[in-house]
Amino acid sequence: MQTKVMLPCAQSIALAASIFKRGGLVGIPTETVYGLGGDATSADAARAIFRAKGRPQDNPLIVHIYDLRQLEDIVSHIPQTARVLMDAFWPGPLTIIMPRNKKIPREVTAGLETVAVRFPVHPVAQAILKEAGMPIAAPSANLSGRPSPTTAQHVLEDMDGRIELIIDGGACEVGLESTVVDATRGNVVLLRPGGVTKEMLQSALGRPVELGKGVMEPLAQGEQALSPGLMHKHYAPKAKVKVVLGGDAQRAAYISQCAAGDENPCVLCLEAHRRLYGDLPMLSAGCTPDDYAHNLFAALRSADQMGYTTLYAEGLSFEGVGLAVMNRMERAAGFDVIKL
Ligand code: TXA
Ligand code: MG
């Protein structure tokens, strides 16, 4: 199969919709990361998504909508907390887990009685979903285990020959996957931190949000996670990743000293710290924690392309978007986090 890459226009959007209607797959831009989309009402399309990604069968997909009226055929009811969060954050980078409507095949939810739903704000994503007229199941458009794609080029690297079309909507603004919350329990539980932060969720709900077990620490062997995604290896570049937390000068001294013993090291750091690392090859995380989120996955991919074998990453505080960045980095590092 030849994979076409097209800019968003009336023609390419119509082509994407026609591919979805016949059960095919399309790489689509969203404000978080690129998605690998297929018809969410089709068990065959869901199976094709799992095949194209090499995704473990037990890891459910997110269903994407462009209109709240679609929810009727996706969920069996809308919990009150979910309504509050939809009002506050949709459309946007928040995925809400609700009880499943039987019209969504079990292949999409990996056998769970709940379904994850997201209403993206990206205009191209909305235009594609609207033209298709159906809910679209879309995991991140990477091969399973690889960093999520934040450009059409990243999607092509992983999906060339596996899907029919990629719509190139430019670099994704947030750069990390959506925040995932479970609204099917008494308290809202945060299962994956993202651009909608824990603080933002709490302020909209007016009460605390629980952090799911296994979200910011490794699960013990045999321990069950609330979200299957937490059980799988993730975001791993070929380079060994080490995350270092500490004061700026102390952290830079530690990294420089360790890197001296490595074959081909580099550091991922904020621009303001560039001068602290001397000649050590540097990948830029940008200037702010938001930039760090935006740049992280591209940096992990380019570390491999440039042949670095060890990547030292400056850790962030676990506040705001820092929690989401640290969640991805901990996983990329296999929880090898050095606290000075
Ligand atoms: O930003 C995003 O969410 C992107 C774009 C394309 O929308 N999609 C994305 O999908 O990141 P994916 O498949 O890479 O991540 C979905 C996560 C997984 O960790 C999965 O386990 C979890 O959501 N998930 C999906 N349905 C669930 C459910 N019913 N219960 C618990 N976790 C669920
Ligand atoms: Mg993913």
Side-chain angles (χ1 to χ4, degrees):
M1 183 188 308
Q2 174 113 38
T3 304
K4 277 200 210 94
V5 181
M6 294 174 81
L7 293 172
C9 63
Q11 214 186 357
S12 62
I13 288 171
L15 177 60
S18 73
I19 292 173
F20 287 143
K21 284 176 193 160
R22 57 179 158 75
L25 307 183
V26 181
I28 60 172
T30 83
E31 69 276 18
T32 56
V33 301
Y34 275 73
L36 175 61
D39 179 359
T41 63
S42 155
D44 284 342
R47 279 192 282 266
I49 291 174
F50 281 90
R51 265 200 310 278
K53 274 186 68 97
R55 184 177 178 96
Q57 293 292 336
D58 66 348
N59 198 4
L61 307 175
I62 296 175
V63 176
H64 294 68
I65 59 171
Y66 63 93
D67 187 320
L68 292 177
R69 283 171 298 192
Q70 292 176 287
L71 282 175
E72 204 178 308
D73 291 334
I74 299 172
V75 305
S76 65
H77 77 274
I78 302 177
Q80 187 48 35
T81 48
R83 278 190 201 281
V84 174
L85 296 176
M86 285 174 198
D87 280 349
F89 302 112
W90 276 7
L94 175 69
T95 296
I96 306 176
I97 295 172
M98 290 181 268
R100 171 179 84 109
N101 182 311
K102 303 272 184 286
K103 288 184 186 164
I104 297 298
R106 293 171 64 84
E107 281 74 4
V108 169
T109 65
L112 297 178
E113 285 311 320
T114 55
V115 59
V117 190
R118 170 155 131 71
F119 185 162
V121 71
H122 196 294
V124 176
Q126 287 189 4
I128 296 169
L129 292 168
K130 197 164 179 183
E131 182 85 10
M134 60 180 75
I136 295 295
S140 49
N142 50 287
L143 287 173
S144 198
R146 299 251 299 148
S148 293
T150 55
T151 65
Q153 181 56 38
H154 296 162
V155 182
L156 190 64
E157 275 167 31
D158 284 16
M159 290 297 149
D160 196 10
R162 294 171 180 258
I163 61 176
E164 290 180 55
L165 174 66
I166 300 167
I167 303 286
D168 183 352
C172 301
E173 193 184 329
V174 180
L176 299 179
E177 307 86 344
S178 61
T179 305
V180 178
V181 294
D182 185 347
T184 65
R185 296 156 199 278
N187 274 338
V188 170
V189 182
L190 179 57
L191 296 180
R192 183 174 70 185
V196 173
T197 64
K198 187 165 180 247
E199 294 84 344
M200 290 159 74
L201 295 166
Q202 293 182 149
S203 121
L205 289 165
R207 54 178 157 140
V209 165
E210 246 176 78
L211 197 57
K213 196 160 60 165
V215 174
M216 297 306 293
E217 76 285 325
L219 285 165
Q221 215 169 20
E223 208 172 10
Q224 195 65 29
L226 285 178
S227 180
L230 293 170
M231 323 266 292
H232 298 290
K233 192 169 151 78
H234 259 318
Y235 316 119
K238 293 183 198 95
K240 171 129 196 59
V241 178
K242 296 180 184 206
V243 181
V244 188
L245 281 164
D248 295 344
Q250 191 191 20
R251 182 178 51 201
Y254 174 86
I255 290 175
S256 304
Q257 192 189 1
C258 293
D262 288 319
E263 195 190 329
N264 212 352
C266 68
V267 61
L268 173 61
C269 70
L270 290 167
E271 283 294 335
H273 306 150
R274 183 183 275 272
R275 61 184 174 78
L276 299 175
Y277 293 98
D279 292 337
L280 191 59
M282 192 188 111
L283 297 169
S284 177
C287 299
T288 63
D290 283 329
D291 290 349
Y292 208 137
H294 178 81
N295 292 328
L296 176 64
F297 288 144
L300 294 181
R301 282 178 183 260
S302 67
D304 281 348
Q305 256 153 15
M306 296 170 77
Y308 296 123
T309 49
T310 311
L311 175 120
Y312 292 92
E314 291 189 335
L316 291 181
S317 86
F318 291 65
E319 283 154 26
V321 77
L323 187 72
V325 172
M326 288 303 289
N327 169 270
R328 307 316 189 272
M329 291 213 289
E330 284 184 346
R331 287 181 155 66
F335 291 95
D336 189 356
V337 180
I338 298 127
K339 297 191 179 88
L340 299 174

